[in-house]
Amino acid sequence: ITILLQAILQLIAGIGIFLVACQMMSSNLETASSARLKSLFSRMSNSRMLGVGIGTVATAAIQSSGATTVMVIGFVNVGIMSLAQAATIIYGANIGTTVTAVAVYLLPLFLLLSQVWVHLSNSSQRKIHGRHGAVSLLALVCSSSVLV
């Protein structure tokens, strides 16, 4: 029973810390928000694809669609961004998560194909790319072990 109680208390503490962090971020965004940032987001409203692209790139850069979503919700809460703009960025954040996962999944295949290409090339190119082979093979083994 004590393990279950400990797990419940940790869950409640984690949710509490998350809510406090969201409140702190929202209040800091209110003080830091400027007309320049608002005009940047208003220019973005002309193109939904731009919003999706921004969400995709932001998520791929910080590796967290949750963090991107929390920041966007903070922008909406402060009034810097409209809900329609936020929806496109959150949609892009979800795409960014998928793109990142697919890139990690395809990395071993890319490395394997690059090694096949190097070994099928002539001997002078093999000497140039020889050092690349060990690094690629190591990355191939590491990334495939992550996927398993």
Side-chain angles (χ1 to χ4, degrees):
I1 293 179
T2 59
I3 295 174
L4 179 64
L5 181 63
Q6 181 182 5
I8 291 171
L9 289 175
Q10 287 177 343
L11 176 68
I12 292 171
I15 292 171
I17 290 170
F18 176 75
L19 292 175
V20 167
C22 286
Q23 179 62 34
M24 288 174 60
M25 187 185 72
S26 179
S27 64
N28 288 334
L29 282 173
E30 286 177 23
T31 59
S33 66
S34 65
R36 184 175 169 195
L37 190 59
K38 198 168 192 172
S39 71
L40 175 74
F41 286 130
S42 69
R43 276 186 269 141
M44 185 194 70
S45 67
N46 297 333
S47 171
R48 289 186 177 139
M49 290 306 292
L50 180 62
V52 171
I54 289 171
T56 302
V57 169
T59 300
I62 64 174
Q63 296 289 311
S64 174
S65 61
T68 303
T69 302
V70 167
M71 286 190 299
V72 167
I73 289 171
F75 289 146
V76 171
N77 189 29
V78 173
I80 297 174
M81 183 185 293
S82 71
L83 191 58
Q85 292 168 335
T88 60
I89 292 178
I90 291 171
Y91 188 70
N94 293 331
I95 292 172
T97 300
T98 304
V99 167
T100 304
V102 168
V104 167
Y105 181 75
L106 292 179
L107 180 67
L109 178 64
F110 172 73
L111 293 173
L112 181 66
L113 290 176
S114 70
Q115 287 306 302
V116 169
W117 177 74
V118 166
H119 288 291
L120 291 178
S121 62
N122 61 29
S123 63
S124 64
Q125 286 181 341
R126 244 184 263 145
K127 289 178 185 176
I128 295 170
H129 297 292
R131 286 179 240 142
H132 176 266
V135 174
S136 294
L137 191 59
L138 180 63
L140 175 68
V141 170
C142 290
S143 62
S144 61
S145 67
V146 168
L147 296 174
V148 172

